[in-house]
Amino acid sequence: MTESGKKSPMPSCIKDGWFSEIEPMWPGQKLSIALEGFSSDAILYNESSEFQKILVFKSAQHGNVLVLDGVIQLTENDEFVYQETITHLPMMAHENPKNVLIVGGGDGAVLREVCRHKSVEQITLVEIDQKVIDVAKEYFAESTAIAFDDSRLTIVNQDAAEFLEKQNASDRKGYDVIIADTSDPVGPAESLFDPSFYEQMYEALNDGGIVCAQSECFWTQPELIENIFACSSDIYDAVEYASTYVPTFPCGQIGFLLAGKGNGLDLTKPARPMTNELKHQLQWYTAEMHSASFVLPKFLEDRLGLLRPTDEDYEDVEENDASEDCFLKGCVIS
Amino acid sequence: MTESGKKSPMPSCIKDGWFSEIEPMWPGQKLSIALEGFSSDAILYNESSEFQKILVFKSAQHGNVLVLDGVIQLTENDEFVYQETITHLPMMAHENPKNVLIVGGGDGAVLREVCRHKSVEQITLVEIDQKVIDVAKEYFAESTAIAFDDSRLTIVNQDAAEFLEKQNASDRKGYDVIIADTSDPVGPAESLFDPSFYEQMYEALNDGGIVCAQSECFWTQPELIENIFACSSDIYDAVEYASTYVPTFPCGQIGFLLAGKGNGLDLTKPARPMTNELKHQLQWYTAEMHSASFVLPKFLEDRLGLLRPTDEDYEDVEENDASEDCFLKGCVIS
């Protein structure tokens, strides 16, 4: 491990005062973000952890920016959209979430959103890379990393697939909500895009429990989304896909797989009213936005609509195994 | 006028085989699109008309791309989202649109969408720059420019504000739907972001008529949107704001002002069922997407919600004048 905060030479993704995101997952396009003052002095952190390259810079217009392996994870100015959506969709679709698992989420922002729910008694955050948490605490101390001292929190530094496999083999109580706040399916998050991980999450849920997983962009990864959706429909009793706007993500769009355990779940509507306190804390999510997030473009609805599990599927669900290795089949990233 | 299709030297927005969109309206960020083969051979057209710089290039991943004054107007791969949204929101919110005015729209794509409605008897397209139409016919002949030979169409090359002022002074019959498919409020479209133009459009509508106007990005221009919305609420009897995803527009998002003339209009729902033929022609728009497009993020709903006209306003609407020069007040672009 290297000393936290030590500045390293200019990374290759920064040139002439601009950071550019070039990635084979979205060929032929790149978003660039200006560094403050177009100066390398705005690079706050630039080191490799055991798992990935971590870069933090102060931008001209977007606040501090966190980049992992060359891919923008968040900017302080717009991160609220992603965090509120991935968190409050499953939390509000559940009637009374008490025990919550966050997979990844080392920047602390999903944790911040989960902590806003008073019903929650226990939060487990399984982040493989402690360095991401350390960096967030130092450079995002007033934005994303404000809830790491919550008394309900337990942090585990482990691959989440291994963690769940061991936990499922034990008698520990299950989760009401699992939020898979992962990076893209290359690098340290690869195991979290495997069908077996979706089976482990299903097993780890209480009855009535809900998973919400970061599930890529419908412009760049429609095959991946279709594969995740199809496999999840074999495993879970209710499966939906939601979408939201994130201006500094590729194509300005990101989607989420929502999947539930138990009969009669409607993931597309809040299961209860929001408290006034929660309403005032949020900038993006509303009850109306919850439902609207699940309305998909016709081209995507045409691909996913027929794959949704039906009530008949529910009877057989214990018998089904998702076919292995199907998520990445036919995808650009495979 | 210069010879159509003649290649000019490499423009400054193209470097190392990438086109980059740098604009003061969205400081600190830029989207870049790769040219096919990263080669200047992929520049298909690069000339200035009487009104603006027109650039067309063949991209590596996005089809042909139309750029006006350095700003991406459309890529062939994703243009359907913008065109279907700006067209079918007002067309489907109207019970029986017969006479349609398209303001701008020289690329032909809104025209293509309007022509899909069998109820339409007359279409007037007022495009200030004939060169854009000529270029579209040559380089977007199989995508956007496929309906210029529709027998219902009349093309007028004039500033739309002047056109409407003259027409309103005459006795010509009004429009059921006006679609203002403008570029940004700098350059030739500036007069189309003036409150007086919104008054002219109101006057030009039949009772029950609906305007839909390109109204910028809620990430970069929230003040402009608030100003347009407030002024329109003084002029029109129903006003709403809709949003959609366009991956190659700034921040991947664009919004539309919808405004209606007459009492009891609900712009947020289709007024009639779609024909099966229309359903099969579209890739983005559905009845569900219509309503979902009007669900706004909390931060924007908080700004716009109280500005909506109420039924009480309807009685007084003829008496009100929108305050002049308010649209651009406080905006980055002013």
Side-chain angles (χ1 to χ4, degrees), chain B residues 60-75:
Chain B
Q61 298 284 339
H62 297 78
N64 286 357
V65 180
L66 175 64
V67 178
L68 298 180
D69 285 341
V71 176
I72 295 171
Q73 301 299 303
L74 64 85
T75 84

Side-chain angles (χ1 to χ4, degrees), chain B residues 198 215 221-236 238-242 256-259 267 294 296 300-309 322 326-327:
Chain B
Y198 280 71
S215 299
Q221 306 293 346
E223 291 84 6
L224 177 67
I225 294 168
E226 193 171 349
N227 291 344
I228 290 178
F229 197 94
C231 288
S232 299
S233 294
D234 283 343
I235 301 168
Y236 292 83
V239 178
E240 296 288 347
Y241 191 79
F256 306 94
L257 185 96
L258 275 282
L267 305 169
F294 290 93
L296 303 179
L300 188 62
E301 185 60 37
D302 285 348
R303 293 180 83 138
L304 301 186
L306 295 173
L307 301 173
R308 284 197 180 84
C326 69
F327 278 19

Side-chain angles (χ1 to χ4, degrees), chain A residues 15-16 18 20 22 27-34 38 60-62 77-78 80-81 218-219 243-248 251-254 279-286 288-290 292 295-300 302, chain B residues 15-16 18 20 22 27-34 38 60-62 77-78 80-81 218-219 243-248 251-254 279-286 288-290 292 295-300 302:
Chain A
K15 198 176 169 189
D16 300 333
W18 290 86
S20 292
I22 304 184
Q29 65 186 75
K30 60 179 175 184
L31 180 69
S32 302
I33 303 282
F38 296 97
Q61 299 283 339
H62 297 78
N77 282 17
D78 67 27
F80 66 90
V81 187
F218 56 56
W219 297 112
S243 171
T244 197
Y245 299 85
V246 180
T248 51
C251 302
Q253 188 271 332
I254 190 92
K279 275 185 193 172
H280 287 125
Q281 287 173 320
L282 305 186
Q283 299 176 74
W284 184 270
Y285 178 92
T286 61
E288 295 75 21
M289 189 58 91
H290 186 120
V295 177
L296 302 179
K298 181 170 181 290
F299 75 85
L300 188 61
D302 284 349
Chain B
K15 198 176 169 187
D16 300 333
W18 290 85
S20 292
I22 304 185
Q29 66 187 72
K30 60 179 177 186
L31 180 70
S32 302
I33 303 281
F38 296 96
Q61 298 284 339
H62 297 78
N77 282 17
D78 67 27
F80 66 91
V81 187
F218 57 56
W219 298 111
S243 171
T244 198
Y245 299 84
V246 180
T248 50
C251 302
Q253 187 271 331
I254 191 92
K279 276 185 193 173
H280 287 126
Q281 287 172 319
L282 305 186
Q283 300 176 73
W284 183 270
Y285 178 93
T286 61
E288 294 76 21
M289 189 58 91
H290 186 122
V295 177
L296 303 179
K298 181 171 181 289
F299 75 86
L300 188 62
D302 285 348

Side-chain angles (χ1 to χ4, degrees), chain A residues 23-298:
Chain A
E23 231 298 320
M25 279 191 288
W26 39 91
Q29 65 186 75
K30 60 179 175 184
L31 180 69
S32 302
I33 303 282
L35 274 66
E36 189 184 54
F38 296 97
S39 163
S40 60
D41 292 345
I43 299 175
L44 302 174
Y45 187 88
N46 177 31
E47 294 187 27
S48 288
S49 74
E50 188 184 343
F51 302 99
Q52 54 203 337
K53 290 181 192 166
I54 304 174
L55 170 69
V56 180
F57 65 88
K58 188 168 173 56
S59 71
Q61 299 283 339
H62 297 78
N64 286 356
V65 180
L66 174 65
V67 178
L68 298 180
D69 284 342
V71 176
I72 295 171
Q73 302 299 303
L74 63 87
T75 83
E76 287 187 309
N77 282 17
D78 67 27
E79 54 89 11
F80 66 90
V81 187
Y82 174 86
Q83 322 297 350
E84 291 186 19
T85 305
I86 196 173
T87 304
H88 303 303
L89 286 182
M91 293 295 286
M92 291 303 302
H94 195 284
E95 285 184 0
N96 188 25
K98 291 182 178 174
N99 193 7
V100 176
L101 173 67
I102 302 169
V103 172
D107 56 60
V110 167
L111 173 64
R112 176 192 70 202
E113 298 301 322
V114 169
C115 287
R116 289 177 168 157
H117 290 263
K118 303 301 182 198
S119 66
V120 172
E121 296 169 358
Q122 280 186 284
I123 307 167
T124 308
L125 188 148
V126 182
E127 166 61 62
I128 197 170
D129 194 348
Q130 175 63 32
K131 205 73 183 168
V132 174
I133 298 176
D134 296 341
V135 165
K137 284 179 176 175
E138 187 155 353
Y139 299 106
F140 299 88
E142 292 174 10
S143 54
T144 68
I146 62 173
F148 280 113
D149 60 355
D150 192 285
S151 61
R152 298 167 289 183
L153 174 65
T154 305
I155 295 177
V156 181
N157 292 135
Q158 193 178 352
D159 177 273
E162 289 174 21
F163 170 82
L164 274 189
E165 195 175 355
K166 281 184 191 160
Q167 188 166 77
N168 285 335
S170 75
D171 281 339
R172 285 194 52 182
K173 196 176 177 303
Y175 299 103
D176 301 309
V177 168
I178 299 176
I179 300 170
D181 175 24
T182 66
S183 48
D184 294 309
V186 286
E190 194 174 340
S191 65
L192 311 182
F193 283 80
D194 191 278
S196 64
F197 184 63
Y198 280 70
E199 290 174 341
Q200 292 290 354
M201 288 198 290
Y202 182 84
E203 197 177 332
L205 284 176
N206 291 325
D207 194 54
I210 298 169
V211 163
C212 181
Q214 188 276 100
S215 300
E216 300 297 320
C217 170
F218 56 56
W219 297 112
T220 59
Q221 306 292 346
E223 292 84 5
L224 177 67
I225 293 167
E226 194 171 348
N227 291 343
I228 290 178
F229 197 93
C231 289
S232 299
S233 294
D234 284 342
I235 302 168
Y236 292 83
D237 310 311
V239 178
E240 297 288 347
Y241 191 78
S243 171
T244 197
Y245 299 85
V246 180
T248 51
F249 279 4
C251 302
Q253 188 271 332
I254 190 92
F256 306 94
L257 185 96
L258 276 280
K261 181 176 186 170
N263 210 0
L265 283 172
D266 183 356
L267 305 168
T268 68
K269 295 194 181 95
R272 56 199 162 87
M274 294 170 79
T275 62
N276 281 334
E277 187 183 355
L278 182 60
K279 275 185 193 172
H280 287 125
Q281 287 173 320
L282 305 186
Q283 299 176 74
W284 184 270
Y285 178 92
T286 61
E288 295 75 21
M289 189 58 91
H290 186 120
S291 298
S293 302
F294 291 93
V295 177
L296 302 179
K298 181 170 181 290

